[in-house]
Amino acid sequence: MAAANYLPSEDQFLCSICLDVFTDPVSTPCGHNFCKNCITEHWNISDRCQCPLCKETFTIKPDLRVNTLFSEMVAQFRQSAQQKASSSSSSQQQAAKPGEVPCDVCTGTKLKALKSCLVCLVSYCETHLEPHLTASRLKRHQLIDPVENLEDRMCTKHDKPLELFCKTDQTCVCMLCPVLDHKTHDVVPLKEEYEGKKAELEAEIQQMIQKRQLKIQEIKHSVDLSEKDANREIAGGVQVFTALKECVERGLNELIKMIEEKQKTTEKQAEDLIRELEQEISELKKRNTEVEQLSHSEDHLHLLQSVQSMKAPRLSKDWTEVSVRPPSYEGTVVRAVSQLEETLSEQIKTLLAVSELKRVQQYAVDLTLDPDTAHPKLILSDDGKQVKCGDVRKNLPDNPERFSRFIIILAKQSFSSGRFYFEVQVKEKTEWDLGVARESINRKGNITLRPQDGFWTVWLRNGNEYKALAGPSVLLSLKSQPQPQKVGVFVDYEEGLVSFYDVDAAALIYSFTGCSFTEKLFPYFSPGDNYFGINSAPLIISPVRVK
């Protein structure tokens, strides 16, 4: 009875051949127990009868007998295990749902697998996994999170687990593959390749994350720039419309003032006439009183003499043609509006020019002249901001960047995208060239300043002759007076635009449009020849000050 209630270690109930709980356990003459089918098949395929555990050899195949006591203990163990599995399943485990890996051992309702064994190629629920957690032999098996299609983890050629990775063929292989089919290949353990691939994938993902984070920053920066541009445009629009509104109000006030002044003039004229008439009426009433008094006198001679004196010239003004004519207001409003329209038109042009100049000035860049490109007659300031033409040709290295025939110099800075703007003082000069040039321009021998040859420039000649060298040249008529003292140059690389401005007058001088830029652009300068001191003033790269 005590033996019946005793439950030894679970390892004692596992067949050493199938590594599962005994089924129909039988004993060999040496005293070891095996499943009846397991030991029978083992001896059938073996060339001799030998105990798998103690290696005792039997000359004659022994009769296998059932160990009654041991069979009862196995049966009791099976019943206890089934009860425990039933209790555990009902309280903790759940049936496998669609998409979940089921237990391969369960009969009837398939419970959710807890682990899969890469050695057994079987997935186990919590109950059926227990031998793998307690039996010493099964503990050596490799368990992983439950997966389906464990057959895919077996080598289809050698029916062995895929435990290695062939780098040469980029495929998973079994332990026999490097010996038979991949002899000269670079084969490594799966874990090693996994770690490498994992690190590679993590680095790739991190790189993708960084790229997207940078893109987010780029987008935010674009939004910030857009907001700044929008605020700047709003401010410019408010300034322009406020000025126009003030102009309209000023025109209205002037119209009202003119009409009121005409009305005051009319009123004053009427008042003067009325005052004069009232004075004469007063005088006439006085004389009427005198006549009335004379009418009571019987001295007829005195009466006649007095009446004669009352007809004095100062009372003889003829008021018949005198009148006050109201001023004519016909067409006054129309003329005022017409004048306002002309004024507004001019002011709009001025305001828009100022607004446009302010807009491009936001893209100001700091330039420095490049001495390696300077013609030998050019003289540069120490800070690289001024250049003028001297009388002596210096002995300089004729490097590929230097202009050897024409008096030209480029800036050190170049631009291959976006927008940029710079200003140059041209005060007191009778000749100059300004603009931009592409990197591949000819710097030796004859040069033609035109877009076809990589130059987008405007020049001054003879002190008052301005041309845009557009190939053919365009003669420019500048409205601003005096002539430009400072010239601004604006470039929009993607838009293909090069514009020149009279900075002080905030007026557009000329624009090259529809340009096609495919290489670096360099700011271009030529102070012109010295002409014995007539054109000795330097070109000066000036700091940009937004008005």
Short mmCIF file of all heavy atoms in Angstrom, two decimals, residues 426-480:
data_model
loop_
_atom_site.label_atom_id
_atom_site.label_comp_id
_atom_site.label_asym_id
_atom_site.label_seq_id
_atom_site.Cartn_x
_atom_site.Cartn_y
_atom_site.Cartn_z
N VAL A 426 29.36 101.20 -56.79
CA VAL A 426 29.94 101.59 -58.08
C VAL A 426 30.11 103.11 -58.15
O VAL A 426 30.23 103.68 -59.25
CB VAL A 426 29.06 101.08 -59.24
CG1 VAL A 426 29.02 99.56 -59.25
CG2 VAL A 426 27.63 101.63 -59.11
N LYS A 427 30.10 103.73 -57.01
CA LYS A 427 30.16 105.19 -56.92
C LYS A 427 31.42 105.74 -57.60
O LYS A 427 32.50 105.16 -57.47
CB LYS A 427 30.13 105.59 -55.45
CG LYS A 427 30.04 107.08 -55.18
CD LYS A 427 29.96 107.31 -53.67
CE LYS A 427 29.88 108.79 -53.35
NZ LYS A 427 29.83 109.03 -51.90
N GLU A 428 31.26 106.86 -58.35
CA GLU A 428 32.35 107.60 -59.00
C GLU A 428 33.05 106.80 -60.09
O GLU A 428 34.18 107.10 -60.47
CB GLU A 428 33.38 108.06 -57.96
CG GLU A 428 32.81 109.02 -56.92
CD GLU A 428 33.83 109.43 -55.89
OE1 GLU A 428 34.98 108.92 -55.97
OE2 GLU A 428 33.50 110.23 -55.00
N LYS A 429 32.40 105.75 -60.62
CA LYS A 429 33.02 104.98 -61.70
C LYS A 429 32.36 105.32 -63.03
O LYS A 429 31.15 105.60 -63.09
CB LYS A 429 32.91 103.48 -61.43
CG LYS A 429 33.73 103.03 -60.22
CD LYS A 429 33.91 101.53 -60.18
CE LYS A 429 34.71 100.99 -61.32
NZ LYS A 429 36.10 101.51 -61.38
N THR A 430 33.16 105.25 -64.08
CA THR A 430 32.65 105.49 -65.43
C THR A 430 32.52 104.20 -66.21
O THR A 430 31.96 104.19 -67.31
CB THR A 430 33.59 106.44 -66.19
OG1 THR A 430 34.89 105.86 -66.27
CG2 THR A 430 33.66 107.80 -65.49
N GLU A 431 33.02 103.11 -65.64
CA GLU A 431 32.97 101.81 -66.33
C GLU A 431 33.02 100.70 -65.29
O GLU A 431 33.80 100.75 -64.34
CB GLU A 431 34.16 101.70 -67.29
CG GLU A 431 34.18 100.40 -68.09
CD GLU A 431 35.32 100.38 -69.10
OE1 GLU A 431 35.40 101.34 -69.92
OE2 GLU A 431 36.12 99.43 -69.07
N TRP A 432 32.19 99.69 -65.48
CA TRP A 432 32.22 98.50 -64.63
C TRP A 432 31.38 97.38 -65.25
O TRP A 432 30.50 97.64 -66.09
CB TRP A 432 31.73 98.78 -63.21
CG TRP A 432 30.39 99.49 -63.08
CD1 TRP A 432 30.19 100.80 -62.80
CD2 TRP A 432 29.07 98.91 -63.22
NE1 TRP A 432 28.86 101.11 -62.74
CE2 TRP A 432 28.13 99.96 -63.00
CE3 TRP A 432 28.59 97.66 -63.52
CZ2 TRP A 432 26.75 99.76 -63.07
CZ3 TRP A 432 27.20 97.45 -63.60
CH2 TRP A 432 26.31 98.50 -63.37
N ASP A 433 31.66 96.14 -64.85
CA ASP A 433 30.84 94.96 -65.21
C ASP A 433 30.49 94.24 -63.90
O ASP A 433 31.35 94.11 -63.02
CB ASP A 433 31.60 93.96 -66.09
CG ASP A 433 32.16 94.58 -67.35
OD1 ASP A 433 31.84 95.74 -67.63
OD2 ASP A 433 32.91 93.87 -68.06
N LEU A 434 29.26 93.77 -63.82
CA LEU A 434 28.84 92.97 -62.66
C LEU A 434 27.93 91.85 -63.12
O LEU A 434 27.21 91.98 -64.12
CB LEU A 434 28.10 93.84 -61.63
CG LEU A 434 28.93 94.86 -60.85
CD1 LEU A 434 28.01 95.72 -60.00
CD2 LEU A 434 29.96 94.15 -59.98
N GLY A 435 27.92 90.76 -62.35
CA GLY A 435 27.01 89.66 -62.65
C GLY A 435 27.49 88.35 -62.06
O GLY A 435 28.13 88.32 -61.00
N VAL A 436 27.21 87.26 -62.77
CA VAL A 436 27.66 85.93 -62.36
C VAL A 436 28.18 85.19 -63.59
O VAL A 436 27.82 85.51 -64.72
CB VAL A 436 26.53 85.10 -61.70
CG1 VAL A 436 26.13 85.68 -60.37
CG2 VAL A 436 25.32 84.97 -62.63
N ALA A 437 29.05 84.19 -63.32
CA ALA A 437 29.62 83.40 -64.40
C ALA A 437 29.71 81.95 -63.95
O ALA A 437 29.91 81.67 -62.77
CB ALA A 437 31.00 83.93 -64.78
N ARG A 438 29.56 81.02 -64.91
CA ARG A 438 29.67 79.62 -64.54
C ARG A 438 31.14 79.20 -64.44
O ARG A 438 32.03 79.87 -64.96
CB ARG A 438 28.93 78.74 -65.54
CG ARG A 438 29.53 78.69 -66.91
CD ARG A 438 28.63 77.89 -67.87
NE ARG A 438 29.16 77.87 -69.23
CZ ARG A 438 28.41 77.81 -70.31
NH1 ARG A 438 27.09 77.83 -70.20
NH2 ARG A 438 28.95 77.77 -71.51
N GLU A 439 31.39 78.09 -63.77
CA GLU A 439 32.76 77.67 -63.44
C GLU A 439 33.59 77.39 -64.68
O GLU A 439 34.80 77.66 -64.70
CB GLU A 439 32.70 76.43 -62.54
CG GLU A 439 34.04 75.98 -62.01
CD GLU A 439 33.93 74.82 -61.05
OE1 GLU A 439 32.95 74.04 -61.16
OE2 GLU A 439 34.81 74.67 -60.19
N SER A 440 32.99 76.85 -65.72
CA SER A 440 33.75 76.38 -66.89
C SER A 440 34.02 77.46 -67.93
O SER A 440 34.41 77.14 -69.05
CB SER A 440 32.99 75.22 -67.55
OG SER A 440 31.72 75.66 -68.03
N ILE A 441 33.83 78.74 -67.62
CA ILE A 441 34.05 79.80 -68.60
C ILE A 441 35.50 79.84 -69.06
O ILE A 441 36.41 79.42 -68.36
CB ILE A 441 33.67 81.19 -68.01
CG1 ILE A 441 34.39 81.40 -66.68
CG2 ILE A 441 32.17 81.32 -67.86
CD1 ILE A 441 34.21 82.78 -66.08
N ASN A 442 35.69 80.41 -70.25
CA ASN A 442 37.03 80.61 -70.79
C ASN A 442 37.70 81.75 -70.02
O ASN A 442 37.14 82.83 -69.87
CB ASN A 442 36.95 80.95 -72.28
CG ASN A 442 38.31 81.25 -72.88
OD1 ASN A 442 39.33 80.77 -72.40
ND2 ASN A 442 38.30 82.05 -73.93
N ARG A 443 38.90 81.52 -69.54
CA ARG A 443 39.61 82.55 -68.76
C ARG A 443 40.87 83.04 -69.48
O ARG A 443 41.59 83.88 -68.95
CB ARG A 443 39.97 82.01 -67.37
CG ARG A 443 38.74 81.42 -66.67
CD ARG A 443 39.01 81.04 -65.25
NE ARG A 443 37.86 80.33 -64.68
CZ ARG A 443 37.55 80.28 -63.39
NH1 ARG A 443 38.31 80.92 -62.53
NH2 ARG A 443 36.50 79.61 -62.97
N LYS A 444 41.09 82.48 -70.63
CA LYS A 444 42.26 82.88 -71.40
C LYS A 444 41.79 83.35 -72.79
O LYS A 444 40.84 82.82 -73.34
CB LYS A 444 43.23 81.70 -71.57
CG LYS A 444 43.51 80.94 -70.28
CD LYS A 444 44.26 81.77 -69.26
CE LYS A 444 44.55 80.97 -68.00
NZ LYS A 444 45.23 81.78 -66.96
N GLY A 445 42.47 84.35 -73.33
CA GLY A 445 42.16 84.79 -74.68
C GLY A 445 40.87 85.57 -74.75
O GLY A 445 40.42 86.20 -73.78
N ASN A 446 40.24 85.55 -75.95
CA ASN A 446 39.02 86.33 -76.18
C ASN A 446 37.85 85.79 -75.37
O ASN A 446 37.69 84.57 -75.22
CB ASN A 446 38.66 86.32 -77.67
CG ASN A 446 39.62 87.17 -78.48
OD1 ASN A 446 40.14 88.15 -77.97
ND2 ASN A 446 39.86 86.77 -79.73
N ILE A 447 37.04 86.70 -74.85
CA ILE A 447 35.85 86.35 -74.08
C ILE A 447 34.68 87.17 -74.60
O ILE A 447 34.80 88.37 -74.82
CB ILE A 447 36.06 86.63 -72.58
CG1 ILE A 447 37.12 85.68 -72.00
CG2 ILE A 447 34.74 86.47 -71.81
CD1 ILE A 447 37.46 85.98 -70.56
N THR A 448 33.54 86.51 -74.79
CA THR A 448 32.31 87.21 -75.16
C THR A 448 31.35 87.13 -73.99
O THR A 448 30.98 86.03 -73.56
CB THR A 448 31.65 86.57 -76.40
OG1 THR A 448 32.60 86.58 -77.48
CG2 THR A 448 30.40 87.35 -76.81
N LEU A 449 30.98 88.29 -73.46
CA LEU A 449 30.08 88.31 -72.30
C LEU A 449 28.64 88.11 -72.78
O LEU A 449 27.98 89.05 -73.20
CB LEU A 449 30.22 89.64 -71.55
CG LEU A 449 31.59 89.90 -70.92
CD1 LEU A 449 31.59 91.25 -70.22
CD2 LEU A 449 31.98 88.80 -69.95
N ARG A 450 28.18 86.87 -72.68
CA ARG A 450 26.81 86.54 -73.05
C ARG A 450 26.44 85.21 -72.39
O ARG A 450 27.33 84.41 -72.06
CB ARG A 450 26.65 86.45 -74.56
CG ARG A 450 27.54 85.41 -75.21
CD ARG A 450 27.35 85.37 -76.71
NE ARG A 450 28.16 84.31 -77.32
CZ ARG A 450 28.12 84.02 -78.61
NH1 ARG A 450 27.34 84.71 -79.44
NH2 ARG A 450 28.88 83.04 -79.09
N PRO A 451 25.15 84.97 -72.17
CA PRO A 451 24.73 83.73 -71.50
C PRO A 451 25.19 82.47 -72.21
O PRO A 451 25.49 81.46 -71.56
CB PRO A 451 23.20 83.85 -71.48
CG PRO A 451 22.94 85.32 -71.50
CD PRO A 451 24.02 85.89 -72.36
N GLN A 452 25.26 82.49 -73.54
CA GLN A 452 25.68 81.30 -74.28
C GLN A 452 27.09 80.86 -73.89
O GLN A 452 27.42 79.66 -73.96
CB GLN A 452 25.64 81.56 -75.80
CG GLN A 452 24.24 81.86 -76.33
CD GLN A 452 23.98 83.34 -76.40
OE1 GLN A 452 24.18 84.04 -75.40
NE2 GLN A 452 23.53 83.83 -77.55
N ASP A 453 27.91 81.82 -73.47
CA ASP A 453 29.28 81.49 -73.07
C ASP A 453 29.45 81.46 -71.55
O ASP A 453 30.59 81.44 -71.05
CB ASP A 453 30.25 82.51 -73.68
CG ASP A 453 30.31 82.41 -75.20
OD1 ASP A 453 30.20 81.28 -75.71
OD2 ASP A 453 30.45 83.44 -75.87
N GLY A 454 28.35 81.50 -70.82
CA GLY A 454 28.42 81.33 -69.36
C GLY A 454 28.51 82.60 -68.57
O GLY A 454 28.92 82.56 -67.40
N PHE A 455 28.13 83.77 -69.17
CA PHE A 455 28.17 85.04 -68.44
C PHE A 455 26.78 85.67 -68.43
O PHE A 455 26.12 85.76 -69.47
CB PHE A 455 29.15 86.03 -69.11
CG PHE A 455 30.58 85.57 -69.13
CD1 PHE A 455 31.07 84.80 -70.18
CD2 PHE A 455 31.44 85.90 -68.09
CE1 PHE A 455 32.39 84.39 -70.21
CE2 PHE A 455 32.76 85.49 -68.11
CZ PHE A 455 33.25 84.72 -69.17
N TRP A 456 26.36 86.12 -67.23
CA TRP A 456 25.10 86.86 -67.10
C TRP A 456 25.46 88.19 -66.43
O TRP A 456 25.59 88.26 -65.20
CB TRP A 456 24.10 86.07 -66.27
CG TRP A 456 23.62 84.84 -66.98
CD1 TRP A 456 22.50 84.71 -67.74
CD2 TRP A 456 24.24 83.54 -66.98
NE1 TRP A 456 22.39 83.43 -68.23
CE2 TRP A 456 23.46 82.68 -67.78
CE3 TRP A 456 25.41 83.03 -66.41
CZ2 TRP A 456 23.77 81.36 -68.01
CZ3 TRP A 456 25.75 81.70 -66.64
CH2 TRP A 456 24.93 80.88 -67.43
N THR A 457 25.67 89.24 -67.26
CA THR A 457 26.25 90.47 -66.74
C THR A 457 25.54 91.71 -67.27
O THR A 457 24.88 91.68 -68.31
CB THR A 457 27.75 90.56 -67.12
OG1 THR A 457 27.86 90.51 -68.56
CG2 THR A 457 28.54 89.44 -66.52
N VAL A 458 25.73 92.81 -66.52
CA VAL A 458 25.31 94.16 -66.92
C VAL A 458 26.55 95.03 -66.82
O VAL A 458 27.37 94.85 -65.91
CB VAL A 458 24.18 94.69 -66.01
CG1 VAL A 458 23.98 96.19 -66.21
CG2 VAL A 458 22.88 93.96 -66.29
N TRP A 459 26.71 95.98 -67.76
CA TRP A 459 27.87 96.85 -67.68
C TRP A 459 27.52 98.32 -67.84
O TRP A 459 26.45 98.66 -68.32
CB TRP A 459 28.98 96.44 -68.66
CG TRP A 459 28.76 96.81 -70.12
CD1 TRP A 459 27.83 97.65 -70.65
CD2 TRP A 459 29.56 96.37 -71.22
NE1 TRP A 459 27.98 97.76 -72.01
CE2 TRP A 459 29.04 96.98 -72.39
CE3 TRP A 459 30.66 95.52 -71.34
CZ2 TRP A 459 29.58 96.77 -73.65
CZ3 TRP A 459 31.19 95.31 -72.61
CH2 TRP A 459 30.66 95.92 -73.75
N LEU A 460 28.45 99.18 -67.43
CA LEU A 460 28.39 100.63 -67.65
C LEU A 460 29.59 101.01 -68.50
O LEU A 460 30.72 100.59 -68.24
CB LEU A 460 28.45 101.38 -66.31
CG LEU A 460 28.71 102.90 -66.40
CD1 LEU A 460 27.52 103.61 -67.04
CD2 LEU A 460 29.01 103.48 -65.02
N ARG A 461 29.34 101.86 -69.55
CA ARG A 461 30.42 102.39 -70.37
C ARG A 461 30.19 103.90 -70.56
O ARG A 461 29.03 104.36 -70.60
CB ARG A 461 30.47 101.69 -71.73
CG ARG A 461 30.86 100.21 -71.67
CD ARG A 461 32.30 100.03 -71.24
NE ARG A 461 32.72 98.63 -71.25
CZ ARG A 461 32.64 97.80 -70.23
NH1 ARG A 461 32.10 98.23 -69.07
NH2 ARG A 461 33.07 96.57 -70.33
N ASN A 462 31.29 104.62 -70.69
CA ASN A 462 31.25 106.05 -70.97
C ASN A 462 30.49 106.85 -69.91
O ASN A 462 29.93 107.92 -70.21
CB ASN A 462 30.65 106.32 -72.35
CG ASN A 462 31.41 105.58 -73.44
OD1 ASN A 462 32.65 105.53 -73.41
ND2 ASN A 462 30.67 105.00 -74.39
N GLY A 463 30.39 106.32 -68.73
CA GLY A 463 29.79 107.07 -67.64
C GLY A 463 28.28 107.06 -67.58
O GLY A 463 27.69 107.32 -66.52
N ASN A 464 27.59 106.74 -68.69
CA ASN A 464 26.11 106.78 -68.66
C ASN A 464 25.46 105.79 -69.62
O ASN A 464 24.26 105.87 -69.86
CB ASN A 464 25.63 108.20 -68.99
CG ASN A 464 26.10 108.66 -70.35
OD1 ASN A 464 26.74 107.91 -71.09
ND2 ASN A 464 25.80 109.90 -70.69
N GLU A 465 26.23 104.89 -70.19
CA GLU A 465 25.68 103.92 -71.14
C GLU A 465 25.61 102.54 -70.48
O GLU A 465 26.63 101.89 -70.23
CB GLU A 465 26.57 103.86 -72.39
CG GLU A 465 26.03 102.93 -73.47
CD GLU A 465 26.97 102.86 -74.66
OE1 GLU A 465 27.48 103.94 -75.07
OE2 GLU A 465 27.22 101.75 -75.14
N TYR A 466 24.38 102.13 -70.20
CA TYR A 466 24.15 100.85 -69.51
C TYR A 466 23.63 99.81 -70.50
O TYR A 466 22.75 100.10 -71.31
CB TYR A 466 23.13 101.02 -68.38
CG TYR A 466 23.61 101.90 -67.25
CD1 TYR A 466 23.39 103.28 -67.28
CD2 TYR A 466 24.29 101.37 -66.17
CE1 TYR A 466 23.83 104.10 -66.26
CE2 TYR A 466 24.74 102.18 -65.13
CZ TYR A 466 24.50 103.55 -65.18
OH TYR A 466 24.93 104.34 -64.17
N LYS A 467 24.17 98.59 -70.41
CA LYS A 467 23.72 97.51 -71.29
C LYS A 467 23.62 96.21 -70.50
O LYS A 467 24.43 95.95 -69.59
CB LYS A 467 24.69 97.31 -72.45
CG LYS A 467 24.55 98.33 -73.57
CD LYS A 467 25.46 97.96 -74.74
CE LYS A 467 25.30 98.95 -75.89
NZ LYS A 467 26.18 98.59 -77.04
N ALA A 468 22.61 95.40 -70.85
CA ALA A 468 22.52 94.02 -70.36
C ALA A 468 23.09 93.15 -71.47
O ALA A 468 22.58 93.15 -72.60
CB ALA A 468 21.08 93.64 -70.07
N LEU A 469 24.15 92.42 -71.17
CA LEU A 469 24.84 91.64 -72.20
C LEU A 469 24.13 90.30 -72.37
O LEU A 469 24.58 89.26 -71.90
CB LEU A 469 26.30 91.46 -71.81
CG LEU A 469 27.01 92.79 -71.50
CD1 LEU A 469 28.45 92.55 -71.11
CD2 LEU A 469 26.94 93.73 -72.69
N ALA A 470 22.99 90.38 -73.04
CA ALA A 470 22.11 89.22 -73.17
C ALA A 470 22.34 88.44 -74.45
O ALA A 470 21.69 87.42 -74.66
CB ALA A 470 20.64 89.67 -73.09
N GLY A 471 23.24 88.93 -75.34
CA GLY A 471 23.54 88.25 -76.59
C GLY A 471 22.36 88.13 -77.52
O GLY A 471 21.80 87.05 -77.62
N PRO A 472 21.88 89.17 -78.23
CA PRO A 472 22.54 90.47 -78.35
C PRO A 472 22.29 91.35 -77.12
O PRO A 472 21.40 91.09 -76.32
CB PRO A 472 21.90 91.08 -79.60
CG PRO A 472 20.55 90.46 -79.64
CD PRO A 472 20.70 89.06 -79.13
N SER A 473 23.11 92.42 -77.03
CA SER A 473 23.01 93.33 -75.89
C SER A 473 21.71 94.12 -75.92
O SER A 473 21.14 94.38 -76.98
CB SER A 473 24.20 94.29 -75.89
OG SER A 473 25.41 93.58 -75.79
N VAL A 474 21.25 94.49 -74.71
CA VAL A 474 20.03 95.29 -74.55
C VAL A 474 20.41 96.62 -73.91
O VAL A 474 20.96 96.65 -72.81
CB VAL A 474 18.99 94.56 -73.67
CG1 VAL A 474 17.75 95.43 -73.48
CG2 VAL A 474 18.62 93.22 -74.28
N LEU A 475 20.16 97.73 -74.64
CA LEU A 475 20.45 99.06 -74.10
C LEU A 475 19.44 99.39 -73.02
O LEU A 475 18.23 99.26 -73.22
CB LEU A 475 20.40 100.10 -75.22
CG LEU A 475 20.79 101.53 -74.82
CD1 LEU A 475 22.25 101.57 -74.36
CD2 LEU A 475 20.56 102.49 -75.99
N LEU A 476 19.92 99.81 -71.88
CA LEU A 476 19.05 100.06 -70.73
C LEU A 476 18.86 101.55 -70.53
O LEU A 476 19.81 102.33 -70.63
CB LEU A 476 19.64 99.44 -69.46
CG LEU A 476 19.93 97.93 -69.52
CD1 LEU A 476 20.60 97.48 -68.22
CD2 LEU A 476 18.66 97.13 -69.78
N SER A 477 17.61 101.95 -70.25
CA SER A 477 17.29 103.35 -69.95
C SER A 477 16.89 103.42 -68.49
O SER A 477 15.79 102.99 -68.10
CB SER A 477 16.16 103.84 -70.85
OG SER A 477 15.78 105.16 -70.51
N LEU A 478 17.80 103.94 -67.66
CA LEU A 478 17.54 104.02 -66.22
C LEU A 478 16.77 105.30 -65.89
O LEU A 478 17.18 106.39 -66.27
CB LEU A 478 18.84 103.98 -65.44
CG LEU A 478 19.41 102.59 -65.13
CD1 LEU A 478 19.68 101.81 -66.39
CD2 LEU A 478 20.67 102.69 -64.28
N LYS A 479 15.65 105.14 -65.22
CA LYS A 479 14.82 106.29 -64.86
C LYS A 479 15.35 107.01 -63.63
O LYS A 479 15.09 108.19 -63.43
CB LYS A 479 13.38 105.82 -64.61
CG LYS A 479 12.70 105.26 -65.85
CD LYS A 479 11.27 104.84 -65.53
CE LYS A 479 10.58 104.26 -66.76
NZ LYS A 479 9.19 103.84 -66.46
N SER A 480 16.06 106.26 -62.77
CA SER A 480 16.49 106.84 -61.50
C SER A 480 17.59 107.87 -61.72
O SER A 480 18.47 107.69 -62.57
CB SER A 480 16.98 105.74 -60.56
OG SER A 480 18.05 105.03 -61.16
#
